[in-house]
Amino acid sequence: MTPHALSPRALIAWLRFLSWPALRHQAGRQALALLAIALGVALSYGVHLLNGAALAEFGSAAASLNGQPDLVLRAPGGTVQEDAYAQIAGLPEVAQASPVLGGQAQALDAKGQPFNVTVIGLDMLQAGPINPDLLPRLASPLDGLDPGRVFPNAALLRRLGPAGAEGQVLRLRAASSDSGQVQSLDLRIGPSSPDGGPPRAVVDIAAAQVLFGRLGQLDRVDLRLAPGVSPSEWLARQRLPAGLSATPPADESARLGRLTQAYRVNLGVLSLMALFTGSFLVFAVISLSVAQRLPQWALLGVLGMSARERSALVLLEGLLLGLLGSALGLLLGWQLAGLGLRVLGSDLGLAAISGVRPALQFSAAQLPAALLFGGLGLTVSLLSAWLPARSVQRMPVAQVLKGLGQRLSEGPPVWLGPALLLLGLGLALLPPISWPAALAGVPVAAYAAMLAVLAGGMACVPALLRLSLGLLAWSRPGASLLLLRERARDQAGEASRALAGVLVALSLSVAMLVMVGSFRDSLNQWLSQMLPADLYLRSALRGSAGQQAPLPPALVDAIRGSAQLRDIRLQRSQQVWLDGMPAGADPLDLQARELDEQSLPLAGALAPAPAGQTRLTPIYINEALRDAQGLRPGQTVQLRLQPGGPPLPVFVRGVWRDYARQSGAVLMPLSAYRAWSGDLRVTELYLWLPPGADPKASSEALRALAAEPQDLEIAAVSELRAISLHIFDRSFAVTVWLQAVALAIGLFGIAAAASAQTLARRREFGLLLHLGFTRADVLRLLGLEAVLLCGVGAIAGLALGLCLSAVLIWVVNPQSFHWSMDLSLPGWRLAALLAAVFVAGVLASLLAGYRAVAQQAVQAVKEDW
């Protein structure tokens, strides 16, 4: 502002414009806009902090568990022989060669209930420099070589209770990997290890070999080279024993990041919904502020303030709102994340994968993220203030000062809405991007499609308002309807801006409601198809690689002959390799079971065997394997029980839905698996009970058939289904809160926008009162406008929400999680949501317009110069 441009009178007006009464008059609405920005920033930043804390904690736990070797020696089948270890350990440039053997064992807690413990076998003398976080503090390093001692961590001691005191005996039980026989080992409890992860125990590697029945076998060998030796150069000049490979240690935190990327990205995008919706509330509040002060703005313009200076002052208001709201949002987001971790234990589902409880700690590495989310809130606020600023810049000050008013801006061109909708359709058909690596596999095009659909739907609202006037043609003509038609025709652009916030929140809420409902219904149906029996039985023990331990054959025969059952079906869970998989890839999960194609949750049609190859074994792959390997029904592939083992030629008969995992899995007939492998063992049983049988009593009778009843896990399928659905509902509970916050912000936005419009129309209402309208007539007019506006908004929100749900169900979920599902419309919940938003919007508009028909509206006509 140039000093010479304003006269003393203008300076006094400007000071009065910024006086305390004017600020106090706007304080409530400004606080509402401030809260909208703060909530949007807080939710998005809080979700980012929760994700980051969980990943950082898992990375720290994985680093302590895996140590810091230079190279890791492994065998493709997962078993390294001790003679190969001896050859490597004797090489001159190898400083330490630490053998590792681990697995799952069973122990009894303080209440006598069995639970699983991760057992790690180490050579204490070699593991010290590589795995210092796993080793206890011993008086002598030789104490760690005692195969009769066990060193628990703090989590295991908490589970054991008083029985975990040093010197007590801990009994560990595990299933042998080869025979499936249960091994039992009694060990004296020694000093605790500093490992801060889930229940784990460190033992001498000889004790681990006995416990898991793997004498002479190792999982891996961690190598620490001599100082100055480059791992890559050492590998280039070494000839490793046949069948072994040495690679740098895997980045487990990066692995978990890839595994949970889709979940975190989707939740992060959803958390931005409140900030996106809040931008429309900020726009409405600033528009209201501009509308209330139009005479002052006009007076300042007449007295010498330039158009650019007026625009800069409005942007300054948005800047202040953005700075304060973003700062408050960052503080609130930190508190929300801390509350979620301390009180609710909420780490967004990542604890189920990592097995750790993350902690929230501030560090300099978090500063860029805080600046990013703070800058995002500031950007949203400035963009929301841009249109009102342009309006003040372009306003004809003389006409406004005479009370003629003006519109904020013209509405969007008619073609823009359909064009954006078509653009969204085109983007939804694009595959996920593969570059940059940080976004590989993320459905960026699908998210852009959703944004284009939202923008296109908002651009179509003015045309929908004008089209809706045709519905009023049948009604008896009157002054109120005439005014309503003319306003809806001429002010459709401003009406669409009033609807913008609630339209975005409603459409996103409808989309999430339909997507979550469809997912839940599909999951429920999938559980019924994959768990068709009354009872599900498996061993409570795990093998050394964490796989399900086989059931004893005598137990299977006893259960088969039990009078408690009407029918029984067998399943063998195993790991297999597929030819063409990348080197070092994880094996596939195989479920060999007695199949009924009619009951499988298939995704697509079945394919016949290739011509002339009718004897090929049919397999059924899940969607993750189909997408990872580019397989299609009818293709022939080869399976192997071990890398380099005898192949089994098979053909892909079909693709099945697998909501239990995001990695590759294969289904095949049990008879074909047994003929191929010669393995007659069973890992799971599906049991049908006679009509009227009590599942609990039958479970106890079956458990009594086992030599060790605690070795069996028996659950009613109805209980498993209820638990699975409960976990599902809990996982998506956060989306309900995010939707509620966004809807509340949207409703506040429509109230603020209605206030802005009614304040700008005070002279119009005053004129109507002078011409004979009563206050009830004006309120009736406002009610009709609100019903028309909110009705169109509800219909448009429903249509947009259904379009967005189609993108979520048929594009985002298959590309992110490799899960397809059937569209299911929760009719009553949709109707309740639309009715609630419609009623709330009408009431908000009526309350906002109530003051506009007060006595001041009559006096406002006298302001016309």
Side-chain angles (χ1 to χ4, degrees):
M1 184 186 301
T2 55
H4 64 275
L6 290 178
S7 65
R9 181 182 176 186
L11 182 60
I12 293 174
W14 172 235
L15 293 176
R16 184 178 180 184
F17 173 70
L18 291 178
S19 65
W20 168 246
L23 294 177
R24 184 179 58 186
H25 188 66
Q26 298 290 330
R29 297 186 182 92
Q30 301 286 10
L32 193 61
L34 191 69
L35 180 61
I37 297 175
L39 282 176
V41 173
L43 289 174
S44 54
Y45 184 53
V47 168
H48 170 79
L49 288 175
L50 286 172
N51 284 329
L55 290 176
E57 187 68 19
F58 179 82
S60 176
S64 65
L65 180 62
N66 296 328
Q68 297 178 347
D70 295 325
L71 294 170
V72 177
L73 186 72
R74 297 182 186 274
T79 298
V80 179
Q81 300 299 327
E82 278 191 346
D83 55 354
Y85 157 68
Q87 296 180 35
I88 296 296
L91 296 176
E93 294 178 318
V94 175
Q96 273 89 28
S98 174
V100 181
L101 177 65
Q104 296 287 321
Q106 187 186 84
L108 297 180
D109 63 14
K111 298 180 180 180
Q113 298 299 317
F115 68 99
N116 285 331
V117 180
T118 300
V119 178
I120 305 171
L122 298 174
D123 182 339
M124 303 293 183
L125 296 180
Q126 295 292 329
I130 300 179
N131 298 92
D133 294 335
L134 290 179
L135 300 185
R137 294 182 179 178
L138 301 173
S140 169
L142 297 179
D143 292 341
L145 301 181
D146 185 356
R149 302 186 73 183
V150 59
F151 307 100
N153 69 349
L156 178 54
L157 290 177
R158 287 194 297 268
R159 293 295 299 270
L160 295 175
E166 189 170 346
Q168 296 289 327
V169 175
L170 173 64
R171 170 165 291 186
L172 296 176
R173 303 176 70 250
S176 171
S177 300
D178 297 328
S179 64
Q181 296 296 320
V182 178
Q183 306 287 340
S184 180
L185 200 61
D186 292 336
L187 303 170
R188 287 182 297 105
I189 297 178
S192 62
S193 71
D195 174 23
R200 282 196 284 255
V202 176
V203 299
D204 181 71
I205 195 164
Q209 290 175 331
V210 172
L211 178 63
F212 297 119
R214 298 182 61 187
L215 297 179
Q217 297 180 355
L218 307 171
D219 285 337
R220 70 176 194 268
V221 179
D222 294 337
L223 302 180
R224 176 70 64 83
L225 302 180
V229 178
S230 168
S232 58
E233 295 178 358
W234 183 84
L235 280 177
R237 60 176 180 263
Q238 293 297 328
R239 292 178 61 95
L240 298 177
L244 296 183
S245 62
T247 58
D251 188 348
E252 292 295 332
S253 59
R255 173 181 169 273
L256 180 69
R258 292 191 298 269
L259 183 63
T260 61
Q261 181 186 58
Y263 182 79
R264 293 182 291 108
V265 169
N266 285 329
L267 196 58
V269 171
L270 182 60
S271 68
L272 292 173
M273 182 175 70
L275 185 59
F276 185 48
T277 307
S279 65
F280 297 100
L281 176 57
V282 177
F283 167 75
V285 166
I286 296 180
S287 298
L288 174 60
S289 174
V290 169
Q292 286 180 320
R293 293 178 288 179
L294 278 179
Q296 292 95 323
W297 287 116
L299 181 61
L300 289 174
V302 169
L303 294 178
M305 181 177 286
S306 68
R308 179 169 297 181
E309 290 167 342
R310 295 195 303 269
S311 174
L313 287 176
V314 177
L315 290 176
L316 178 61
E317 184 176 351
L319 177 65
L320 293 176
L321 280 176
L323 288 174
L324 293 176
S326 297
L328 181 61
L330 292 177
L331 294 176
L332 183 59
W334 181 269
Q335 296 300 321
L336 286 176
L339 179 66
L341 294 176
R342 292 192 307 270
V343 179
L344 303 177
S346 172
D347 53 5
L348 306 180
L350 291 176
I353 299 173
S354 65
V356 297
R357 307 304 302 174
L360 195 63
Q361 297 179 353
F362 183 79
S363 63
Q366 295 172 340
L367 186 59
L371 294 177
L372 173 64
F373 286 100
L376 189 60
L378 179 60
T379 301
V380 164
S381 181
L382 287 175
L383 290 177
S384 302
W386 179 78
L387 191 60
R390 294 283 292 175
S391 173
V392 170
Q393 182 178 5
R394 295 179 176 180
M395 62 185 293
V397 291
Q399 294 182 22
V400 172
L401 199 60
K402 296 175 67 176
L404 298 179
Q406 71 160 26
R407 304 178 188 176
L408 281 176
S409 66
E410 298 296 330
V414 177
W415 57 266
L416 182 61
L420 288 173
L421 293 176
L422 290 176
L423 175 62
L425 176 61
L427 290 172
L429 300 177
L430 296 178
I433 64 175
S434 56
W435 187 89
L439 295 177
V442 177
V444 176
Y447 292 130
M450 295 175 65
L451 184 60
V453 168
L454 277 175
M458 287 187 291
C460 288
V461 169
L464 292 176
L465 283 172
R466 297 185 181 100
L467 289 175
S468 65
L469 296 177
L471 300 177
L472 303 178
W474 56 270
S475 59
R476 186 175 61 183
S480 297
L481 288 178
L482 179 62
L483 290 173
L484 175 62
R485 291 177 186 175
E486 293 302 318
R487 176 160 182 82
R489 181 178 296 111
D490 296 336
Q491 306 294 328
E494 293 184 16
S496 64
R497 284 188 288 272
L499 269 180
V502 73
L503 181 62
V504 170
L506 177 59
S507 58
L508 288 172
S509 296
V510 168
M512 290 304 301
L513 185 62
V514 172
M515 190 277 291
V516 173
S518 300
F519 198 175
R520 196 179 193 278
D521 291 345
S522 298
L523 175 62
N524 192 19
Q525 182 181 4
W526 180 82
L527 290 170
S528 300
Q529 293 172 311
M530 295 301 293
L531 300 174
D534 299 316
L535 295 177
Y536 176 75
L537 184 149
R538 66 180 184 180
S539 173
L541 300 173
R542 304 292 185 270
S544 60
Q547 302 176 34
Q548 207 72 42
L551 296 167
L555 175 62
V556 175
D557 293 337
I559 293 176
R560 191 192 299 270
S562 173
Q564 302 289 330
L565 304 179
R566 175 171 53 91
D567 193 10
I568 180 173
R569 291 187 184 178
L570 315 179
Q571 177 172 299
R572 175 70 168 110
S573 295
Q574 181 62 282
Q575 291 183 331
V576 294
W577 279 258
L578 179 71
D579 283 2
M581 292 174 56
D586 294 332
L588 307 176
D589 292 329
L590 171 68
Q591 292 182 7
R593 59 195 298 185
E594 298 169 279
L595 294 174
D596 178 8
E597 287 186 346
Q598 302 301 321
S599 63
L600 285 180
L602 296 173
L606 296 172
Q613 303 184 58
T614 55
R615 293 187 178 182
L616 286 179
T617 300
I619 63 169
Y620 308 82
I621 62 174
N622 66 354
E623 294 173 295
L625 181 57
R626 176 199 63 189
D627 297 340
Q629 298 295 323
L631 299 176
R632 293 295 179 266
Q635 284 186 250
T636 59
V637 292
Q638 289 188 337
L639 293 179
R640 300 177 188 268
L641 287 174
Q642 295 288 343
L648 173 67
V650 296
F651 79 97
V652 179
R653 170 75 169 151
V655 179
W656 60 290
R657 290 176 178 172
D658 182 10
Y659 297 142
R661 57 184 66 81
Q662 291 178 249
S663 56
V666 176
L667 278 174
M668 71 182 303
L670 180 61
S671 58
Y673 169 79
R674 287 181 165 180
W676 168 40
S677 64
D679 180 8
L680 302 182
R681 293 175 296 175
V682 175
T683 50
E684 294 95 3
L685 297 178
Y686 297 93
L687 309 174
W688 282 261
L689 302 179
D694 181 13
K696 185 175 182 180
S698 299
S699 298
E700 293 302 321
L702 293 172
R703 193 182 301 275
L705 298 176
E708 296 288 345
Q710 73 269 19
D711 289 349
L712 292 186
E713 292 180 353
I714 306 177
V717 171
S718 58
E719 295 178 0
L720 293 177
R721 182 183 295 109
I723 292 173
S724 299
L725 294 177
H726 174 72
I727 294 174
F728 177 88
D729 294 336
R730 187 177 179 183
S731 300
F732 281 94
V734 65
T735 65
V736 177
W737 292 104
L738 292 176
Q739 293 173 51
V741 170
L743 273 176
I745 293 175
L747 290 174
F748 284 130
I750 197 172
S755 297
Q757 291 192 15
T758 51
L759 281 173
R761 296 169 62 191
R762 283 190 307 157
R763 295 181 180 85
E764 174 189 340
F765 296 147
L767 180 61
L768 292 176
L769 293 174
H770 274 298
L771 293 177
F773 273 61
T774 64
R775 294 175 62 185
D777 293 332
V778 177
L779 283 176
R780 189 178 302 110
L781 174 62
L782 288 175
L784 289 174
E785 290 180 359
V787 168
L788 177 64
L789 187 65
C790 294
V792 171
I795 295 173
L798 176 62
L800 278 179
L802 293 178
C803 292
L804 295 178
S805 66
V807 177
L808 287 172
I809 292 172
W810 294 325
V811 182
V812 173
N813 276 313
Q815 292 184 2
S816 298
F817 303 102
H818 309 287
W819 292 338
S820 64
M821 63 191 72
D822 297 322
L823 178 65
S824 177
L825 297 180
W828 287 108
R829 282 182 288 177
L830 281 177
L833 175 64
L834 295 178
V837 172
F838 175 78
V839 172
V842 171
L843 291 178
S845 299
L846 287 176
L847 290 175
Y850 179 78
R851 294 181 61 187
V853 296
Q855 185 64 30
Q856 288 82 357
V858 179
Q859 300 297 329
V861 181
K862 299 178 181 180
E863 297 178 12
D864 189 356
W865 293 5

